Amino acid sequence: MKSSLLQLVIGIGAVAAFASCSRFVAPSSYEEVQKESYKTSFETKYGTIPSNQKWDFSTYEVRLGTRGGSGITTEIMEKGVDFGDVSNLELEHHAFPQKPVWDYDIIKSGITKNAELFNAINVKLPEKRGQKKDDVVLVAPSSSFYIYPLLSGGGNRYDLKVKVGDEDPVIVFTKDYTNFQTVNGMKKLNGETVNMRGLKIEAPVGTPIEIYLDNMIDVDNKKLPTMGTTNGYAVYIDVPEDVQLELDDVELADDHVIKYIGIEDAQNGDFDYNDLVLAVVGNPDVPQDKIITNNQYVVNTCRAKRYMIEDLGSIGDFDFNDVVVDVEENAVITHEVTYENGIKKTDKIISQVYEPTKAVIRAMGGTIDFELTIGTTSWTKSGAGFEAGTMYNTQGTIDYDKVLAEFEVNDWDPVANNVSITVNGQNGEVYTITFPKAGTAPMIIAVDPTQKWMPERESVPSSWFYLPD
């Protein structure tokens, strides 16, 4: 491998043997000059680099649960979904009707904000139209996501709980009223305002998530069974693609996904699953639903990092698209669950099958040849049939899902980020770039695979970095 040969030559002091070549610049000196020039340009644009500044911005370790315990965080939001001023809606209270009145149309007429999201409920979860019943487990995606109650119906009272992995359940909100069909901003019988707040969740990929109604009490003060996702009393369905969601104080990714969870609150009910309707909002990804069959379910996980590289071919553009490569670890994990009185009590992993780690080249904006090394595996641009001087997938219409090349990788260490690139300079000089240490100017950064790279010659925004303004 040319990089190791070069380093050996430099290491034994062989530079002196070439002193007679008056136009030759020692590779080590060339590297130092280039990297010092790069550092100066970087700090001119982005500010002085703090000594403790690190350049791995990915959530890979969080997703594995290696940062401070389980890697699971839950946060009750200050606000729920805002439907505008609905305080003038005064619905009839149905003490215990033989045929529950569907007050959807009454609410619909008063909604002035997030109307599309609310109106689609009646399309996807119409009254008294039974839905398919499956026992399912939701499993965490590779991004954060939110759960927002939209519509609480029926006369039963309950706690809406969410359990993430082995953590204690979180109470998202308590329905302490018996009004039928209620949204945020409406009045309870006691005059208080309904406030069903949301929940933000971050968890390692594949972490099981349960959503259920607990401590449920009917209008006769009779305790009812727990009901939710894992015992067949909930459905997980798509929201129409054209539906938009406006959340206060939450910035969503442009490609965020929204789904509904509809929960039935009676074992012998009509199974229309609109007694409680939730919005699950991915940022950008939502949890996957896994059907439990014979007390088992299977989760496919992908843990990945995206490396963006500047190859020093042109100092000053800082577009970090000279090489964009995703490194992925894929696994098939089988869970086994047990039940007690119809409620899931245990969830344990009984099998983990790991596929070979792979690298996916997404873009190459550089115009010089390079050798990319990940772990102990090397890959060259020209050796893979690409023109060294041609840019790929960084100009014009960029395909962020593009697979330019794909290859297996051995001995990748995602914590150490043992990724490097050896490039040929404009005059044939050879130098190596490694993942930067804290406080140094970065020529490689690590991000989540959802982070899009910049078009050619457009510098990444300073918001990507934790640098002084």
Side-chain angles (χ1 to χ4, degrees), residues 231-388:
N231 62 357
Y233 290 93
V235 291
Y236 191 50
I237 57 178
D238 293 330
V239 171
E241 290 185 1
D242 59 345
V243 168
Q244 300 295 316
L245 170 64
E246 182 179 349
L247 293 174
D248 295 329
D249 304 324
V250 175
E251 184 175 346
L252 296 176
D254 292 338
D255 54 349
H256 69 271
V257 176
I258 313 172
K259 297 194 76 163
Y260 289 134
I261 291 181
I263 301 179
E264 186 72 17
D265 72 352
Q267 283 185 316
N268 299 315
D270 51 15
F271 291 99
D272 51 20
Y273 295 95
N274 58 30
D275 296 320
L276 176 65
V277 181
L278 313 170
V280 181
V281 185
N283 205 19
D285 299 320
V286 293
Q288 300 176 26
D289 53 327
K290 299 297 179 181
I291 296 177
I292 301 172
T293 305
N294 297 325
N295 292 344
Q296 294 183 3
Y297 66 95
V298 176
V299 179
N300 297 309
T301 66
C302 177
R303 301 182 178 110
K305 283 189 182 185
R306 171 166 291 172
Y307 293 99
M308 296 181 173
I309 303 174
E310 282 285 283
D311 66 8
L312 291 182
S314 177
I315 294 176
D317 59 1
F318 304 114
D319 50 24
F320 282 88
N321 68 14
D322 293 340
V323 184
V324 178
V325 57
D326 294 348
V327 187
E328 303 176 355
E329 293 180 324
N330 293 280
V332 179
I333 303 174
T334 302
H335 293 246
E336 184 175 69
V337 299
T338 61
Y339 292 86
E340 183 178 312
N341 297 324
I343 305 301
K344 185 164 73 72
K345 288 297 181 182
T346 64
D347 185 322
K348 63 180 181 179
I349 295 174
I350 61 173
S351 171
Q352 299 185 73
V353 179
Y354 290 92
E355 299 176 2
T357 302
K358 69 176 181 179
V360 181
I361 304 292
R362 301 289 186 186
M364 293 183 286
T367 57
I368 51 181
D369 201 10
F370 66 82
E371 178 181 74
L372 175 67
T373 300
I374 303 171
T376 57
T377 302
S378 295
W379 183 91
T380 61
K381 183 178 182 180
S382 60
F386 295 92
E387 294 291 335

